[in-house]
């Protein structure tokens, strides 16, 4: 079983790759990129704060990004 401390950074890295694809699209991907950046920002803040509940929520949100 993977811990949250291991799983969240994996999701953050995966979503950062997806963000790059949205940015490559240009204007058509701008809204999606903004939404993804917002989700990543929340995840980063959750990790920095050490708030387990926020980290769990961020992990779940990142998992849904395709």
């Amino acid at each position: 079983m993977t811990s949250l401390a291991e799983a969240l950074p994996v999701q953050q890295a995966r979503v950062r790759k997806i963000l790059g694809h949205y940015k490559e699209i240009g204007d058509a991907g701008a809204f999606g990129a903004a939404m993804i950046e917002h989700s990543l920002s929340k995840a980063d803040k959750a990790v920095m704060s050490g708030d387990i509940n926020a980290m769990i929520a961020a992990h779940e949100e990142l998992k849904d990004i395709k």
Side-chain angles (χ1 to χ4, degrees):
M1 180 174 217
T2 305
S3 71
L4 179 61
E6 296 168 334
L8 184 52
V10 169
Q11 287 300 323
Q12 288 172 292
R14 182 187 69 81
V15 171
R16 281 191 170 86
K17 282 186 178 181
I18 293 171
L19 175 60
H21 297 299
Y22 273 82
K23 287 184 173 185
E24 286 175 3
I25 294 170
D27 289 342
F31 180 75
M35 298 301 293
I36 291 170
E37 286 173 337
H38 181 70
S39 294
L40 283 168
S41 176
K42 288 194 299 187
D44 292 342
K45 288 177 186 173
V47 169
M48 289 187 288
S49 73
D51 181 340
I52 298 298
N53 290 325
M55 290 169 66
I56 292 169
H59 180 260
E60 291 302 313
E61 185 172 332
L62 293 179
K63 283 188 345 183
D64 290 338
I65 295 174
K66 306 283 189 249

